[in-house]
């Protein structure tokens, strides 16, 4: 089970509604005053649209359209074009970015893979934030007067603030949608920005500076490196997806052999990940937890006689530890991260000696086994059993986090498959 997705719609609609109102106001302003420096606007619009056309779908990285993000950022930070002052302003920046993003998203929408509302809202609000911070300084000549290191420091500060704004815009809807703690979600977004987002910010700033000196010809020159980076990230995402599918396939071996019920590993992994987020895990910690939860029962393959219904939580502690050690040995032989093997090996240890991930897997696995086939009210009874168990069995903070996660979705019986 995962956290309840049926959250209050007000927080989820607040950011898109704000972006929509801002876009309408900017569009009205541009229609009233006219489009300034049309060749420049069209060039950046084409760049943003191209970035959206080449957007990756189904990837788990933070930025799916890095070229579009860099182009939007570059237009927001554009102060001059080949030595001529740029006078497009904040309203035109927002209008051009939104129109180009919508145009580039048409093929994706037609195939049913268009961006969610949050994607467009983040793009518009991030570009608007960067433009609001930079354009007044450019108009007043501050960015020009601050030459050399001072101008570079100004751009770096603006990029850091823009990245923080984008992270907040990403974490806030996720928090409202899932109910997971905001702090870990924000930290995860910020940690993810050390990758492709850093390249996007750097490329956007360099594009703006290059266009200021060399003109619009600098745009295709500086787009190529980011396109190559995007291709590399796409391959990396494909490798990660294949890696996870391999682990999931290994985890299903116990189900195929009849040692555990169908879907048990998947259910434990989903619920463990939710509990991990509730306890503040993110990034690599969450990944290790998910993989360990998927493979937590793989040690049962070494048993001559299967455990009835694969319910290891009811076995003597010595037998649980033997199965856990066998499972860790199997995981190490598969070449999976050694941290995953450690969690699998230590899931049967006393909870005070376990790492957090092992405590989570132990409690969630026990809950899933106890609630299986228990009928209505079985979830509450299973949680009460975990709370009343001996002190060394289940960590109280993990059990309470599990209860909070389940309460957001209702304490129902997990699906059978």
């Amino acid at each position: 089970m995962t956290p309840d997705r049926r959250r209050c719609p007000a927080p989820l609609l607040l950011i898109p509604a704000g972006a929509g109102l801002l876009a309408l106001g900017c569009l009205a302003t541009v229609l009233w005053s006219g489009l300034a420096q049309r060749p420049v606007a069209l060039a950046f619009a084409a760049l943003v649209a191209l970035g959206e056309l080449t957007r990756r779908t189904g990837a788990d990285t933070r930025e799916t359209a890095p070229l579009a993000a860099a182009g939007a950022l570059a237009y927001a930070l554009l102060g001059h074009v080949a030595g001529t002052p740029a006078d497009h302003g904040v309203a035109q920046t927002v209008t051009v970015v939104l129109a180009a993003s919508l145009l580039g998203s048409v093929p994706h929408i037609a195939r049913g893979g268009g961006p969610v509302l949050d994607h467009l809202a983040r793009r518009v609000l991030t570009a608007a934030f960067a433009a609001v911070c930079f354009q007044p300084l450019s108009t007043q000549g501050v960015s020009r007067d601050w030459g050399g290191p001072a101008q570079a420091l100004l751009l770096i500060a603006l990029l850091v603030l823009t990245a923080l704004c984008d992270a907040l815009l990403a974490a806030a809807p996720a928090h409202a949608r899932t109910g997971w703690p905001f702090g870990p979600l924000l930290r995860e977004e910020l940690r993810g920005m050390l990758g492709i987002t850093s390249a996007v910010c750097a490329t956007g700033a360099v594009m703006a500076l290059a266009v200021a000196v060399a003109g619009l010809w600098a745009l295709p020159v500086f787009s190529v490196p980011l396109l190559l980076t995007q291709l590399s990230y796409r391959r990396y995402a494909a490798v990660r997806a294949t890696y996870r599918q391999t682990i999931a396939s290994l985890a299903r071996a116990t189900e195929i052999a009849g040692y555990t019920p169908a879907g048990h590993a998947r259910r434990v992994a989903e619920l463990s990940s939710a509990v991990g987020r509730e306890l503040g895990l993110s990034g690599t910690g969450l990944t290790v937890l998910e993989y360990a939860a998927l493979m937590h029962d793989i040690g049962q393959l070494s048993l001559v006689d299967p455990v009835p219904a694969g319910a290891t939580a009811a076995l003597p502690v010595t037998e649980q530890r033997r199965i856990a050690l066998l499972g860790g040995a199997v995981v190490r032989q598969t070449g999976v991260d050694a941290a995953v093997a450690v969690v699998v090996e230590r899931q049967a240890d006393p909870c005070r000696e376990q790492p957090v991930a092992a405590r989570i897997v132990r409690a969630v696995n026990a809950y899933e086994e106890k609630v299986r086939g228990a009928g209505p009210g079985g979830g509450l009874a299973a949680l009460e059993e975990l709370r009343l168990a001996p002190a060394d069995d289940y960590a109280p903070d993990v059990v309470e986090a599990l209860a909070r996660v389940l309460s957001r979705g209702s304490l129902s019986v997990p699906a059978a498959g």
Side-chain angles (χ1 to χ4, degrees):
M1 296 177 63
T2 54
D4 183 24
R5 304 299 172 124
R6 297 168 295 179
R7 310 297 294 175
C8 178
L12 295 176
L13 295 177
L14 183 60
I15 291 178
L21 291 175
L22 174 64
L24 287 175
C26 292
L27 178 61
T29 302
V30 171
L31 291 176
W32 177 263
S33 60
L35 196 65
Q37 296 179 318
R38 291 191 177 186
V40 179
L42 292 175
F44 278 93
L47 181 63
V48 174
L50 176 62
E52 290 293 346
L53 283 171
T54 58
R55 178 168 55 88
R56 292 163 291 143
T57 56
D60 59 353
T61 45
R62 294 294 179 271
E63 179 54 68
T64 60
L67 184 59
L73 183 59
Y75 195 47
L77 298 179
L78 188 65
H80 291 78
V81 181
T84 302
D87 56 357
H88 52 282
V90 176
Q92 183 166 312
T93 298
V94 172
T95 302
V96 168
V97 168
L98 177 60
S101 298
L102 288 172
L103 180 62
S105 299
V106 168
H108 299 291
I109 296 174
R111 294 195 300 266
V116 295
L117 203 56
D118 290 342
H119 174 78
L120 289 176
R122 282 177 59 190
R123 179 77 74 233
V124 167
L125 292 176
T126 302
F129 179 85
V132 166
C133 290
F134 179 81
Q135 292 296 332
L137 298 178
S138 177
T139 302
Q140 297 172 11
V142 175
S143 63
R144 182 184 66 253
D145 297 337
W146 289 12
Q151 186 177 16
L153 290 175
L154 174 63
L155 281 177
I156 291 173
L158 289 178
L159 291 175
V160 170
L161 290 175
T162 302
L164 179 58
C165 172
D166 188 60
L168 289 170
L169 292 174
H175 169 67
R177 186 182 299 111
T178 64
W180 291 328
F182 180 77
L185 287 172
L186 180 59
R187 287 198 301 271
E188 190 172 354
E189 290 294 333
L190 292 173
R191 187 180 294 110
M193 288 183 174
L194 297 176
I196 190 66
T197 306
S198 300
V200 166
C201 291
T203 304
V206 171
M207 277 184 180
L209 293 174
V211 170
V213 176
L216 296 177
W217 289 107
L219 290 181
V221 173
F222 287 95
S223 298
V224 172
L226 196 55
L227 283 172
L228 294 176
T229 302
Q230 181 174 340
L231 178 61
S232 299
Y233 264 80
R234 180 177 297 177
R235 291 178 177 174
Y236 171 71
V239 170
R240 286 194 60 182
T242 302
Y243 184 68
R244 189 191 182 283
Q245 290 171 2
T246 301
I247 291 176
S249 299
L250 288 171
R252 289 195 60 205
T254 57
E255 301 172 11
I256 296 172
Y259 283 85
T260 57
H264 170 70
R266 173 181 54 80
R267 293 191 295 272
V268 172
E270 290 176 355
L271 189 49
S272 293
S273 296
V275 173
R277 286 186 179 276
E278 184 72 21
L279 291 173
L281 295 184
S282 61
T284 304
L286 266 182
T287 302
V288 169
L289 172 60
E290 180 192 9
Y291 291 171
L294 282 170
M295 305 183 75
H296 75 281
D297 270 332
I298 203 167
Q300 293 195 43
L301 292 175
S302 302
L303 301 178
V304 177
D305 298 319
V307 178
T312 55
L315 294 176
V317 174
T318 54
E319 186 66 11
Q320 291 184 37
R321 289 178 181 171
R322 187 175 77 86
I323 295 174
L325 290 173
L326 290 171
V330 173
V331 172
R332 292 181 189 278
Q333 291 175 3
T334 63
V336 177
D337 187 353
V340 176
V342 170
V343 175
V344 173
E345 288 171 342
R346 301 188 62 184
Q347 62 179 308
D349 292 353
C351 68
R352 65 178 183 277
E353 301 174 7
Q354 293 175 312
V356 174
R359 296 178 187 178
I360 294 172
V361 172
R362 179 183 176 92
V364 171
N365 175 64
Y367 170 81
E368 207 280 332
E369 290 179 0
K370 293 176 184 299
V371 80
R372 188 189 306 147
L380 288 171
L383 279 174
E384 194 62 23
E385 282 190 52
L386 297 183
R387 289 189 176 109
L388 296 176
D392 279 347
D393 283 1
Y394 309 107
D397 58 332
V398 173
V399 176
E400 295 311 312
L402 173 60
R404 291 194 299 272
V405 168
L406 293 168
S407 68
R408 290 199 288 266
S410 79
L411 301 181
S412 58
V413 181

